[in-house]
Amino acid sequence: MEKGESYAIEVESGFKEFWRYNIAVTCGMFDADGTQCGFRSAENTVAPAGSNLESAPEGTPVHRRLSFTAGDCHHLLMYVYLIPNTLPPSTRIADCKPFKVTVRVSYEGTEIVHMTPSVNQWSGASIEIRADRP
C-alpha cells in the first residue's frame, strides 16, 4: 500500500474460464457527512465485449486478480462489474453453472469486506459494496 493510501481493494477468481470476463471497479470515496471527496477506478480487460474468442488469449493467467488502493476517507461506495467479453459456448444451464469471485477490502491492513458472490456466466455481474472504515 502506498503512503497516504488507506484502503486496499482486490477482486479475484480462479474459475478456469475467468478469461471470458473483464473486470471493472469504480470506487467513490466519501466523508462522514456523505459528501464525495474522491474517486478511484481500475480495470483488467482481456478482450473487448463481444469478442467471442474460442480460447483465452496467450499469456492470460487462469487465476486473475485486480488490486488497487484508495485514499483515506470515512467510507467507500464501490461497484464491481464482471463483463463478459465472450459468452459460454453452451446454452444449457447445466453446462454453465454460476462461478464465484472473491472481493476483499482492507483498511490499513484490517480486512473489512470479504465476500464471494456468484456470477452468472451469461450476464456477468454488477455488485454494489459499501465499505466503512473500522
Side-chain angles (χ1 to χ4, degrees), residues 42-131:
E43 61 183 65
N44 180 297
T45 302
V46 173
S51 290
N52 295 322
L53 304 174
E54 292 185 20
S55 62
E58 188 173 327
T60 303
V62 172
H63 189 106
R64 287 178 37 232
R65 173 182 292 142
L66 171 65
S67 61
F68 65 102
T69 58
D72 197 11
C73 61
H74 181 266
H75 68 273
L76 303 176
L77 183 58
M78 301 171 29
Y79 292 91
V80 177
Y81 302 101
L82 300 168
I83 307 157
N85 61 58
T86 299
L87 294 175
S90 176
T91 57
R92 290 174 30 101
I93 292 172
D95 295 339
C96 301
K97 294 185 177 166
F99 66 93
K100 297 286 188 181
V101 65
T102 301
V103 180
R104 288 185 200 88
V105 180
S106 298
Y107 179 79
E108 295 185 350
T110 301
E111 189 171 80
I112 56 175
V113 172
H114 184 131
M115 57 190 304
T116 55
S118 294
V119 178
N120 180 296
Q121 288 197 45
W122 288 289
S123 64
S126 298
I127 306 160
E128 180 181 347
I129 301 166
R130 179 177 164 141

Side-chain angles (χ1 to χ4, degrees), residues 4-9 25-41 68-79 105 107 129-133:
E5 302 293 285
S6 296
Y7 290 92
I9 296 104
V25 181
T26 61
C27 184
M29 300 160 55
F30 295 86
D31 65 19
D33 295 326
T35 302
Q36 188 169 351
C37 56
F39 180 82
R40 291 285 171 95
S41 65
F68 65 102
T69 58
D72 197 11
C73 61
H74 181 266
H75 68 273
L76 303 176
L77 183 58
M78 301 171 29
Y79 292 91
V105 180
Y107 179 79
I129 301 166
R130 179 177 164 141
D132 291 277
R133 72 177 178 200

